[in-house]
Amino acid sequence: MIEPVADLPSSLEPLLERFREGKVTALARAISVVENERTGFQALLHRVLSAGPRAARVGFTGPPGAGKSSLLAGMAAAYRRQDERVGVVAVDPTSPFSGGALLGDRIRMNDLATDPGIFIRSMATRGSLGGLATTTKEVLDLIDAFGIERVLVETVGVGQTELEITAAADTVVVVLVPESGDGIQAMKAGLMEIADIFVINKADRPGADRLVKEIRQAMHLRAGSALKDVPAHHGVDLSRVVAKRRSRDVALETGTWTIPVLKTVAQTGEGVDGLLDAVSRHREWMAETSELVLRRRARAGTRIRDVVDRELRRVAWKSPSVQAGLEDGLDRIAKGSATPYSVAGAILEGLLGSRASR
Amino acid sequence: MSDERKIRILVAKPGLDGHDRGAKVIAAAFRDAGFEVIYTGLHQTPEMIVAAAVQEDVDVVAMSILSGAHMTLFPRVRALLLDAGVDHVLLTGGGIIPEDDAKALEAQGVGRLFGPGTSTADAIAYVREWFASRPAV
Ligand SMILES: Nc1nc2c(ncn2[C@@H]2O[C@H](COP(=O)(O)OP(=O)(O)OP(=O)(O)O)[C@@H](O)[C@H]2O)c(=O)[nH]1
Ligand SMILES: [Mg+2]
C-alpha cells in the first residue's frame, strides 16, 4: 500500500537523469513533481538526497511588505558577485476563497532575473499555515541536491507563528520595520525565539533606532538582565549610549551566539553588507559549535515525522475498509450506538492492530 | 490526488511603457479563477520572461502588450522558450492586437490572443480548456 521509496516510477527516470546532469528545466520540473506530490515524488527525493545537506540555508520571515524579498535580492546579488550559485524560494499565500494565488516576490528580484547562476521559485501556501507550503522544505532539499551553494527562503508575510522557518533554514533572519510596533509585540509574536538575526529594514524611516533599542531591551528581559542596560539618567547623549551598547555585550546570548540587531535600507542596499557579515558569522558559529549538526539532525527528525504522518494519513484515508468503517460508524452514531471515539478506535485497531486502541 | 493540479501561469508585462493595469487585472482574475499566478512586474524583456517561465515551470505564459510590438515579442518569446527546451507551454496574451496579426501569430504556434474588448472570463475559459486537453507532461 505504501509505495516503496526505492522504486522510482520509470516515467521519472529521465527527469532524474537530467536533474543529475544539472539541467535547470529538470530542477524546475522536479520541484513541480514534489510540490504536487505526484506519484513517486518521495522516491525522487530519496534518490537525490543521498549526499545529505550541503547548502547554506537562510530563511527570512517578518510582516507583509517588511522588505524580505528586497533584502533577499540584495543578498543574492552579493553572493553572485562572489560567484556562488543562489537558489531562492519565496512563499506567498493561497487565497482561501479561490484556491488561487498571486505570487509577486519576483518583482523585487528582476535585476537577477536572467543570471543563469540564480534560480528563483515562487510557491503558494496551498492551505498550509506556519508561513511555508507543506513541501517547501523538500523543495529546498532539491535545490541543495542540485548543487546550489546558497539557498534563501522567504515565508509569507503574516508576521506570526511562522515557526516552520526554523525547520527549513540554518539561519533565520527576522525582518521588521519601524512601524512594526515595539519590542513587546515582537516578544508576543514569538519572534525572539526564532530569530538568529534581527533586521530593522526601512531604516530610512523614523523610529528605526527606537525599535532597535526596544528589541535589545526585550531580549534582555528574556535573558533576565534588563536592568543592567537601562541608563541611570535621562538626558544622556543618545548616540553615546547606543555606541556604548554596541561595544558591550548587549544582545541576547544563545549559547555563545549574540543575536545581532541590524538596520538596513534594502532599497538602497545600505546595511546589506552588515547582514551578509552577520549571516556568515552565524554560520561560522554553527560550524564551530555542534549547532549545525544539531539543527540538521533536528530537521531530519522533523522530516521523518512529517513523512510518516503524511503516509499514515494517505494510507488511512485511501483504504476502502477505513471508508467502509467510517460510513458504518456514522450510521451507528446516528442510531446512538457509537460515538466518534469508538468509531475512530475501531478504525485505528483495523489499521494498526489491537495496540492502537490502548 | 494530484489529478486536479493547479494551473501555474506567468503574467508578463514586456516593453517600456508603464501601463500595467491590464496585466494586474488579468493576474487578479486568474488568481480568482484558482490559478497560481506569477507576476513579475513591468518592463520584462523576452529573456526575463523565459527565465521566469523555466524556473517557475509554468503551464502558461500570458503577455500583456499595448505597445504595438506584439509581432516581434510573441515570436521572440516563443523562440526563446523552444531554445530553453520548453515546448509544453501555452503562449497567449492580450492587448491592442489587430485580428490579422493575431491570426498570423497563431499560425506561428502562438495561442489565442485577446483584444481590448474581451472579458477576463473568456481568457480564463480558454486557459482551462487548453489545460484540460493538453497532453500530459
Ligand atoms: N522606504 C523603504 N522602502 C523599502 C525598503 N525596502 C523595501 N522597501 C519597499 O517596501 C515594499 C515591500 O518590499 P518587499 O521586498 O516586497 O517586502 P516583502 O517583505 O517581501 O513583502 P511580502 O512578500 O509581500 O510580505 C516595496 O515597495 C519595496 O520597494 C527600505 O529599506 N526603505
Ligand atoms: Mg516578498
Side-chain angles (χ1 to χ4, degrees):
Chain A
M1 217 185 296
I2 303 175
E3 59 182 16
V5 133
D7 278 0
L8 187 71
S10 57
S11 60
L12 292 181
E13 291 281 2
L15 177 64
L16 178 61
E17 200 168 304
R18 289 192 304 116
F19 185 95
R20 288 188 167 144
E21 285 165 9
K23 298 275 195 298
V24 172
T25 47
L27 171 59
R29 177 55 49 82
I31 291 174
S32 301
V33 168
V34 167
E35 185 177 31
N36 294 321
E37 300 184 22
R38 256 170 69 176
T39 312
F41 80 100
Q42 302 197 138
L44 182 68
L45 283 162
H46 171 72
R47 292 290 195 90
V48 300
L49 290 197
S50 31
R54 291 169 296 187
R57 304 181 187 196
V58 182
F60 293 76
T61 189
K68 299 178 291 295
S69 302
S70 309
L71 274 178
L72 201 145
M75 291 197 50
Y79 290 133
R80 287 302 298 139
R81 284 194 289 276
Q82 300 166 22
D83 217 22
E84 292 179 86
R85 291 209 292 170
V86 183
V88 173
V89 176
V91 185
D92 271 330
T94 292
S95 156
F97 302 105
S98 66
L102 194 52
L103 310 174
D105 293 307
R106 291 185 84 98
I107 295 177
R108 315 286 169 224
M109 305 174 199
N110 272 328
D111 292 347
L112 309 160
T114 54
D115 179 345
I118 185 158
F119 182 95
I120 305 169
R121 182 69 171 230
S122 314
M123 292 185 83
T125 52
R126 298 192 179 175
S128 161
L129 304 170
L132 300 176
T134 16
T135 53
T136 299
K137 286 174 275 182
E138 283 152 319
V139 167
L140 300 177
D141 286 344
L142 278 176
I143 295 176
D144 187 342
F146 194 69
I148 291 176
E149 295 102 327
R150 297 275 173 186
V151 180
L152 310 176
V153 54
E154 171 185 345
T155 70
V156 300
V158 294
Q160 296 200 350
T161 61
E162 293 179 333
L163 294 174
E164 279 286 301
I165 193 70
T166 58
D170 305 318
T171 301
V172 175
V173 180
V174 171
V175 185
L176 300 173
V177 289
E179 296 81 7
S180 293
D182 54 28
I184 296 299
Q185 278 172 312
M187 284 180 89
K188 281 200 293 192
L191 298 176
M192 298 287 162
E193 285 81 359
I194 66 174
D196 295 306
I197 297 167
F198 267 108
V199 170
I200 314 303
N201 187 42
K202 307 198 186 183
D204 52 324
R205 294 187 182 171
D209 287 319
R210 176 192 51 82
L211 187 55
V212 168
K213 207 165 86 183
E214 284 177 359
I215 300 259
R216 288 190 173 145
Q217 264 164 14
M219 286 194 296
H220 283 290
L221 283 178
R222 255 189 87 220
S225 57
L227 289 178
K228 82 171 194 227
D229 277 310
V230 175
H233 304 285
H234 294 283
V236 187
D237 172 19
L238 202 65
S239 63
R240 276 185 53 206
V241 173
V242 172
K244 230 162 75 193
R245 285 181 172 197
R246 280 216 188 96
S247 63
R248 272 192 297 157
D249 173 28
V250 292
L252 176 73
E253 304 217 344
T254 54
T256 57
W257 175 247
T258 305
I259 300 175
V261 186
L262 311 171
K263 287 191 297 178
T264 58
V265 183
Q267 265 179 334
T268 62
E270 213 180 307
V272 171
D273 282 346
L275 177 55
L276 284 161
D277 178 59
V279 167
S280 84
R281 279 191 298 111
H282 184 248
R283 185 142 201 94
E284 277 164 28
W285 170 78
M286 284 191 300
E288 278 164 17
T289 61
S290 45
E291 187 67 20
L292 186 60
V293 177
L294 289 175
R295 287 188 184 198
R296 283 178 167 165
R297 192 183 161 87
R299 214 153 67 199
T302 308
R303 179 66 45 79
I304 294 167
R305 275 193 291 275
D306 286 351
V307 174
V308 170
D309 281 353
R310 185 164 64 198
E311 283 309 297
L312 280 177
R313 221 172 276 135
R314 204 203 304 263
V315 169
W317 301 121
K318 265 171 90 178
S319 145
S321 68
V322 168
Q323 283 305 327
L326 183 71
E327 291 301 324
D328 176 60
L330 289 173
D331 293 342
R332 283 186 294 120
I333 291 172
K335 286 188 208 121
S337 65
T339 69
Y341 301 94
S342 62
V343 175
I347 288 176
L348 285 171
E349 203 168 307
L351 275 173
L352 304 172
S354 55
R355 223 171 323 165
S357 49
R358 269 181 228 149
Chain B
M1 69 180 301
S2 49
D3 321 344
E4 266 207 52
R5 82 165 173 85
K6 299 270 185 227
I7 299 176
R8 281 172 76 82
I9 183 163
L10 175 68
V11 171
K13 180 72 189 77
L16 297 175
D17 64 300
H19 305 288
D20 63 349
R21 215 188 88 82
K24 282 179 174 159
V25 167
I26 192 69
F30 283 149
R31 181 208 45 207
D32 294 342
F35 303 170
E36 288 183 354
V37 183
I38 292 106
Y39 183 61
T40 49
L42 289 165
H43 311 312
Q44 300 289 299
T45 64
E47 287 76 12
M48 290 161 88
I49 292 167
V50 171
V54 167
Q55 293 169 10
E56 301 286 353
D57 192 23
V58 294
D59 306 296
V60 182
V61 175
M63 296 202 287
S64 161
I65 301 180
L66 305 170
S67 61
H70 48 270
M71 290 311 280
T72 50
L73 285 170
F74 278 104
R76 175 89 184 123
V77 167
R78 192 177 136 71
L80 287 174
L81 280 170
L82 293 178
D83 282 353
V86 176
D87 54 6
H88 58 272
V89 161
L90 171 67
L91 179 58
T92 175
I96 305 165
I97 300 166
E99 217 164 289
D100 285 349
D101 288 356
K103 284 215 184 81
L105 289 169
E106 236 172 277
Q108 296 177 35
V110 174
R112 226 177 105 189
L113 301 178
F114 295 84
T118 31
S119 80
T120 53
D122 291 344
I124 290 163
Y126 171 66
V127 168
R128 281 217 178 99
E129 269 164 42
W130 173 84
F131 188 76
S133 64
R134 89 203 194 297
V137 288

